[in-house]
PDB file of all heavy atoms in Angstrom:
ATOM      1  N   GLU A 101     135.326 116.222 117.685  1.00 98.00           N
ATOM      2  CA  GLU A 101     136.584 117.092 117.814  1.00 98.00           C
ATOM      3  C   GLU A 101     136.388 118.226 116.917  1.00 98.00           C
ATOM      4  O   GLU A 101     136.775 119.371 117.336  1.00 98.00           O
ATOM      5  CB  GLU A 101     137.873 116.268 117.304  1.00 98.00           C
ATOM      6  CG  GLU A 101     139.171 116.999 117.594  1.00 98.00           C
ATOM      7  CD  GLU A 101     140.384 116.250 117.270  1.00 98.00           C
ATOM      8  OE1 GLU A 101     140.504 115.049 117.662  1.00 98.00           O
ATOM      9  OE2 GLU A 101     141.182 116.675 116.414  1.00 98.00           O
ATOM     10  N   ARG A 102     135.873 118.020 115.763  1.00 98.00           N
ATOM     11  CA  ARG A 102     135.755 119.193 114.842  1.00 98.00           C
ATOM     12  C   ARG A 102     134.656 120.114 115.408  1.00 98.00           C
ATOM     13  O   ARG A 102     134.802 121.365 115.368  1.00 98.00           O
ATOM     14  CB  ARG A 102     135.229 118.736 113.379  1.00 98.00           C
ATOM     15  CG  ARG A 102     135.253 119.864 112.458  1.00 98.00           C
ATOM     16  CD  ARG A 102     136.598 120.535 112.204  1.00 98.00           C
ATOM     17  NE  ARG A 102     136.517 121.461 111.134  1.00 98.00           N
ATOM     18  CZ  ARG A 102     136.872 122.834 111.228  1.00 98.00           C
ATOM     19  NH1 ARG A 102     137.270 123.256 112.477  1.00 98.00           N
ATOM     20  NH2 ARG A 102     136.775 123.608 110.299  1.00 98.00           N
ATOM     21  N   VAL A 103     133.582 119.775 116.001  1.00 98.00           N
ATOM     22  CA  VAL A 103     132.694 120.536 116.529  1.00 98.00           C
ATOM     23  C   VAL A 103     133.215 121.308 117.773  1.00 98.00           C
ATOM     24  O   VAL A 103     133.032 122.480 117.915  1.00 98.00           O
ATOM     25  CB  VAL A 103     131.353 119.778 117.105  1.00 98.00           C
ATOM     26  CG1 VAL A 103     130.403 120.675 117.804  1.00 98.00           C
ATOM     27  CG2 VAL A 103     130.649 119.067 115.923  1.00 98.00           C
ATOM     28  N   GLN A 104     134.051 120.575 118.605  1.00 98.00           N
ATOM     29  CA  GLN A 104     134.681 121.290 119.659  1.00 98.00           C
ATOM     30  C   GLN A 104     135.641 122.471 119.194  1.00 98.00           C
ATOM     31  O   GLN A 104     135.630 123.574 119.755  1.00 98.00           O
ATOM     32  CB  GLN A 104     135.604 120.289 120.417  1.00 98.00           C
ATOM     33  CG  GLN A 104     134.755 119.306 121.282  1.00 98.00           C
ATOM     34  CD  GLN A 104     135.453 118.135 121.839  1.00 98.00           C
ATOM     35  OE1 GLN A 104     136.523 117.725 121.341  1.00 98.00           O
ATOM     36  NE2 GLN A 104     135.038 117.616 122.917  1.00 98.00           N
ATOM     37  N   GLN A 105     136.351 122.162 118.114  1.00 98.00           N
ATOM     38  CA  GLN A 105     137.130 123.263 117.506  1.00 98.00           C
ATOM     39  C   GLN A 105     136.425 124.376 117.082  1.00 98.00           C
ATOM     40  O   GLN A 105     136.727 125.585 117.326  1.00 98.00           O
ATOM     41  CB  GLN A 105     137.939 122.763 116.280  1.00 98.00           C
ATOM     42  CG  GLN A 105     139.028 121.669 116.526  1.00 98.00           C
ATOM     43  CD  GLN A 105     139.561 121.113 115.307  1.00 98.00           C
ATOM     44  OE1 GLN A 105     139.073 121.227 114.212  1.00 98.00           O
ATOM     45  NE2 GLN A 105     140.693 120.397 115.529  1.00 98.00           N
ATOM     46  N   LEU A 106     135.205 124.175 116.339  1.00 98.00           N
ATOM     47  CA  LEU A 106     134.365 125.170 115.923  1.00 98.00           C
ATOM     48  C   LEU A 106     133.771 126.010 117.053  1.00 98.00           C
ATOM     49  O   LEU A 106     133.807 127.262 116.973  1.00 98.00           O
ATOM     50  CB  LEU A 106     133.264 124.722 114.994  1.00 98.00           C
ATOM     51  CG  LEU A 106     133.671 124.220 113.606  1.00 98.00           C
ATOM     52  CD1 LEU A 106     132.713 123.305 112.929  1.00 98.00           C
ATOM     53  CD2 LEU A 106     134.095 125.324 112.783  1.00 98.00           C
ATOM     54  N   VAL A 107     133.370 125.397 118.084  1.00 98.00           N
ATOM     55  CA  VAL A 107     132.689 126.033 119.298  1.00 98.00           C
ATOM     56  C   VAL A 107     133.868 126.919 119.916  1.00 98.00           C
ATOM     57  O   VAL A 107     133.490 128.038 120.213  1.00 98.00           O
ATOM     58  CB  VAL A 107     132.109 124.978 120.211  1.00 98.00           C
ATOM     59  CG1 VAL A 107     131.799 125.621 121.591  1.00 98.00           C
ATOM     60  CG2 VAL A 107     130.846 124.371 119.548  1.00 98.00           C
ATOM     61  N   LYS A 108     135.028 126.327 120.080  1.00 97.00           N
ATOM     62  CA  LYS A 108     136.110 127.123 120.637  1.00 97.00           C
ATOM     63  C   LYS A 108     136.367 128.274 119.853  1.00 97.00           C
ATOM     64  O   LYS A 108     136.531 129.515 120.300  1.00 97.00           O
ATOM     65  CB  LYS A 108     137.297 126.280 120.751  1.00 97.00           C
ATOM     66  CG  LYS A 108     138.389 126.979 121.576  1.00 97.00           C
ATOM     67  CD  LYS A 108     139.621 126.093 121.743  1.00 97.00           C
ATOM     68  CE  LYS A 108     140.684 126.783 122.555  1.00 97.00           C
ATOM     69  NZ  LYS A 108     141.797 125.859 122.752  1.00 97.00           N
ATOM     70  N   GLN A 109     136.422 128.221 118.579  1.00 96.00           N
ATOM     71  CA  GLN A 109     136.655 129.319 117.534  1.00 96.00           C
ATOM     72  C   GLN A 109     135.570 130.404 117.802  1.00 96.00           C
ATOM     73  O   GLN A 109     135.828 131.562 117.638  1.00 96.00           O
ATOM     74  CB  GLN A 109     136.565 128.733 116.143  1.00 96.00           C
ATOM     75  CG  GLN A 109     136.543 129.855 115.031  1.00 96.00           C
ATOM     76  CD  GLN A 109     136.295 129.172 113.675  1.00 96.00           C
ATOM     77  OE1 GLN A 109     136.766 128.090 113.400  1.00 96.00           O
ATOM     78  NE2 GLN A 109     135.437 129.887 112.963  1.00 96.00           N
ATOM     79  N   GLY A 110     134.362 129.979 118.093  1.00 95.00           N
ATOM     80  CA  GLY A 110     133.249 131.013 118.379  1.00 95.00           C
ATOM     81  C   GLY A 110     133.153 131.437 119.798  1.00 95.00           C
ATOM     82  O   GLY A 110     132.147 132.007 120.245  1.00 95.00           O
ATOM     83  N   GLY A 111     134.248 131.211 120.525  1.00 96.00           N
ATOM     84  CA  GLY A 111     134.168 131.707 121.984  1.00 96.00           C
ATOM     85  C   GLY A 111     133.244 130.974 122.842  1.00 96.00           C
ATOM     86  O   GLY A 111     132.736 131.539 123.840  1.00 96.00           O
ATOM     87  N   ASP A 112     132.995 129.731 122.541  1.00 97.00           N
ATOM     88  CA  ASP A 112     132.160 128.888 123.251  1.00 97.00           C
ATOM     89  C   ASP A 112     130.624 129.388 123.265  1.00 97.00           C
ATOM     90  O   ASP A 112     129.813 129.066 124.146  1.00 97.00           O
ATOM     91  CB  ASP A 112     132.590 128.686 124.850  1.00 97.00           C
ATOM     92  CG  ASP A 112     133.861 127.966 124.857  1.00 97.00           C
ATOM     93  OD1 ASP A 112     134.174 127.116 124.042  1.00 97.00           O
ATOM     94  OD2 ASP A 112     134.613 128.181 125.896  1.00 97.00           O
ATOM     95  N   ARG A 113     130.356 130.138 122.234  1.00 97.00           N
ATOM     96  CA  ARG A 113     128.983 130.644 122.086  1.00 97.00           C
ATOM     97  C   ARG A 113     128.321 130.269 120.690  1.00 97.00           C
ATOM     98  O   ARG A 113     129.158 130.215 119.690  1.00 97.00           O
ATOM     99  CB  ARG A 113     128.904 132.210 122.064  1.00 97.00           C
ATOM    100  CG  ARG A 113     129.391 132.645 123.475  1.00 97.00           C
ATOM    101  CD  ARG A 113     128.291 133.136 124.337  1.00 97.00           C
ATOM    102  NE  ARG A 113     128.690 133.415 125.696  1.00 97.00           N
ATOM    103  CZ  ARG A 113     127.935 133.385 126.666  1.00 97.00           C
ATOM    104  NH1 ARG A 113     126.669 133.067 126.614  1.00 97.00           N
ATOM    105  NH2 ARG A 113     128.411 133.631 127.954  1.00 97.00           N
ATOM    106  N   VAL A 114     127.135 129.950 120.615  1.00 98.00           N
ATOM    107  CA  VAL A 114     126.494 129.626 119.368  1.00 98.00           C
ATOM    108  C   VAL A 114     125.094 130.355 119.325  1.00 98.00           C
ATOM    109  O   VAL A 114     124.538 130.667 120.428  1.00 98.00           O
ATOM    110  CB  VAL A 114     126.212 128.093 119.216  1.00 98.00           C
ATOM    111  CG1 VAL A 114     127.499 127.414 119.137  1.00 98.00           C
ATOM    112  CG2 VAL A 114     125.415 127.534 120.361  1.00 98.00           C
ATOM    113  N   LYS A 115     124.703 130.514 118.076  1.00 97.00           N
ATOM    114  CA  LYS A 115     123.313 131.036 117.840  1.00 97.00           C
ATOM    115  C   LYS A 115     122.478 129.950 117.353  1.00 97.00           C
ATOM    116  O   LYS A 115     122.889 129.284 116.316  1.00 97.00           O
ATOM    117  CB  LYS A 115     123.349 132.337 116.900  1.00 97.00           C
ATOM    118  CG  LYS A 115     124.141 133.448 117.466  1.00 97.00           C
ATOM    119  CD  LYS A 115     124.180 134.671 116.692  1.00 97.00           C
ATOM    120  CE  LYS A 115     124.954 135.760 117.405  1.00 97.00           C
ATOM    121  NZ  LYS A 115     124.550 137.089 116.936  1.00 97.00           N
TER     122      LYS A 115
END
Side-chain angles (χ1 to χ4, degrees):
E101 184 179 308
R102 185 63 173 123
V103 174
Q104 288 168 334
Q105 290 171 349
L106 290 165
V107 166
K108 186 175 182 181
Q109 171 188 318
D112 294 328
R113 299 258 173 204
V114 293
K115 295 185 180 204

